[in-house]
Amino acid sequence: MPKTIISTTEAPAAIGPYSQATRAGNLVFCSGQIPIDPKTGELVAGGIEAQTKQALANLSEVLRAAGASWPDVVRTTIWLVDLGDFAVVNRIYGEVVGAEPPARVTIQVSALPKGAAVEIDAIAHV
């Protein structure tokens, strides 16, 4: 089964040798999105709330470019530098994913690219 590379200028460009997303058959595998403003290329200011909103906005744009949306998402992974931010991230995430949320894993890590506090990826079925 061939894969299709998904790319959009509405989300930050990849900062390494990877694609924003790939589609294989009915599955879309979205790379992790950190809270970079796609217009400036800079990490957004404003703490974990602003960073979570931007990471989710970036991921929404990648999903859109793949012809998917949040109801199509079957699994996500959230990486946090500080699990103390879990409640804030969880609230914002819940507002975005809606009443039928996907399966999810949340992991604390020691650091993320560009000093981000949060990174989120997704797998969607379209």
Side-chain angles (χ1 to χ4, degrees), residues 112-123:
L112 289 167
K114 299 206 174 245
V118 61
E119 180 171 355
I120 307 170
D121 77 3
I123 299 171

Side-chain angles (χ1 to χ4, degrees), residues 37-85:
D37 181 328
K39 291 177 179 62
T40 66
E42 299 296 323
L43 198 67
V44 297
I48 191 63
E49 186 162 342
Q51 286 200 18
T52 302
K53 287 178 180 177
Q54 186 65 55
L56 287 164
N58 293 343
L59 193 50
S60 294
E61 291 299 334
V62 174
L63 286 165
R64 185 181 344 270
S69 62
W70 283 102
D72 302 313
V73 174
V74 295
R75 183 163 189 271
T76 61
T77 306
I78 300 175
W79 290 272
L80 293 172
V81 173
D82 182 354
L83 273 178
D85 292 332

